[in-house]
Amino acid sequence: MTKPISSTSILELAATSSISSRNAYMLQRNAQCRSMATIVPPVTQDSTSSRGPTAMVFMNMGGPSTTDAVGDFLSRLFADADLIPLGRLQSYLGPLIARRRTPKIQKQYAAIGGGSPIRKWSEHQSSEMCKILDRTSPETAPHKPYVAFRYADPLTEEMYAQLLNDGFGGGKGGRAVAFTQYPQYSCSTTGSSLNELWKWRNRLEGKGTAGEKNPEGAIQWSVIDRWPVHPGLVEAFAQNIEAQLASYPKEKRKQVVLLFSAHSLPMSVVNRGDTYPAEVAATVYAVMTRLSFSNPYRLCWQSQVGPSAWLGAQTSDTVQAYVKKGQTDLILIPIAFTSDHIETLFELDQEVIHEAGHAGVKRAESLNGSKVFIEALADVAVNHLRSGESCSRQMALRCQGCKSERCMEQKKFFVGSGEMLSAF
């Protein structure tokens, strides 16, 4: 088996690429402190496939696996202007907010078992998906699972260094697919993860020995950037809702209100033209269509941070409002999350539902290890692999109010050509 990348191999990468000594030191320090999420055999081209091997990289926000990791997680999160824009004072306010919130958030992670389960579920989902892909897409096999988190271990730079260590890139070529685990695209989530991936790609293999920007033998990237109404995703959500509806007495079942809850966004991001609200709404409508609109429903938004205006109505306020009106049979559905983490296990289960004070307020199970969901992941992936496309048509179109040069350059890279880009 391939060993996780060592500090020595990171320094070797620095000597053979455009990575600076400062970045090499940071990677060396990360390697000494952390282990990689997924250990895979070395990559070799063989007669079993014509276009493999293929690295399947699951991208997500991540979460601290222990309470001791909460501080670093929050520091990275509040430093990310794509997710939480704090203006010119970001470098000052981000660390300040992170330090102040750390003790409170540590208690919340302690209350759900001492850490986030998102890494466990991401590794399980990616591994099981790759097993299916090896059967359904032998021409791109073997498929190797990787996980890249934006704010927690394994970080994007660790994943990328591991790819190189496993035989991808570095003059050897190979294909990698960045597969967002946010089904609905937002510049704050998928966009931020792609910005980070693009940054580390440039640092670790952005230039060849002759200074060319796309050196021969570099990893060939493509992106699955959104999949909000995929039939398998819709089916997985619908089955979990039906399972929870079955827990109510038959005579009450049709009156249960379905509350779809998604992570909110700052209104500054929404007003810039971010597609996330529309894509979340599309998922909700697709799920309700599958359920034949059997119940009344609403879409609400959770996890607001700070005093600025965020997209509403807030989930907690919505539940309280319905309970006060006498509607005490409610099912919360985490519609924008692909596994359990702090927003489901603590915010929904231990805050919103607990504060409602009624046994009829429940939550649908998260997707986690759902076989239907994992089969959906494989179907999304195989369709992408066979499409020959580098990303969706939507990804090439920038938000109406976007002024980020980094976003524009990242899109140019992943689209593969400036010809598809619109609205510079």
Side-chain angles (χ1 to χ4, degrees), residues 146-341:
Y146 295 84
V147 172
F149 286 153
R150 184 66 180 84
Y151 312 113
D153 297 338
L155 295 167
T156 304
E157 60 264 38
E158 296 174 326
M159 177 280 300
Y160 212 116
Q162 188 69 51
L163 278 176
L164 297 175
N165 192 55
D166 288 344
F168 288 94
K172 302 174 184 176
R175 180 178 185 181
V177 178
F179 192 168
T180 180
Q181 292 307 293
Y182 309 101
Q184 306 91 1
Y185 183 92
S186 171
C187 296
S188 296
T189 53
T190 299
S192 177
S193 290
L194 289 175
N195 283 340
E196 190 75 356
L197 177 60
W198 174 70
K199 178 183 79 175
W200 284 103
R201 184 268 176 192
N202 288 342
R203 290 184 180 182
L204 291 175
E205 57 170 356
K207 291 183 179 179
T209 55
E212 66 272 26
K213 291 184 178 180
N214 295 297
E216 185 177 353
I219 297 172
Q220 298 300 304
W221 285 95
S222 63
V223 180
I224 300 173
D225 51 270
R226 70 198 75 209
W227 37 291
V229 292
H230 185 274
L233 175 71
V234 171
E235 181 64 24
F237 278 128
Q239 288 188 11
N240 285 354
I241 294 169
E242 289 173 332
Q244 190 61 279
L245 279 170
S247 68
Y248 292 86
K250 190 173 182 179
E251 63 275 11
K252 287 187 172 184
R253 212 165 286 167
K254 293 290 185 181
Q255 284 71 50
V256 176
V257 173
L258 306 181
L259 293 180
F260 294 89
S261 184
H263 201 295
S264 187
L265 279 183
M267 286 306 298
S268 59
V269 176
V270 176
N271 291 336
R272 193 172 62 211
D274 197 283
T275 62
Y276 176 74
E279 294 190 13
V280 172
T283 306
V284 171
Y285 195 83
V287 171
M288 290 308 303
T289 300
R290 157 61 177 78
L291 295 172
S292 300
F293 296 92
S294 60
N295 293 74
Y297 69 99
R298 286 292 185 274
L299 171 57
C300 45
W301 309 87
Q302 65 179 90
S303 309
Q304 175 177 327
V305 178
S308 63
W310 284 58
L311 185 63
Q314 289 292 305
T315 301
S316 56
D317 295 341
T318 300
V319 171
Q320 290 295 330
Y322 280 126
V323 167
K324 286 180 180 178
K325 293 175 181 177
Q327 178 63 52
T328 57
D329 290 333
L330 308 165
I331 295 179
L332 291 162
I333 303 117
I335 197 64
F337 305 123
T338 56
S339 67
D340 274 323
H341 42 72

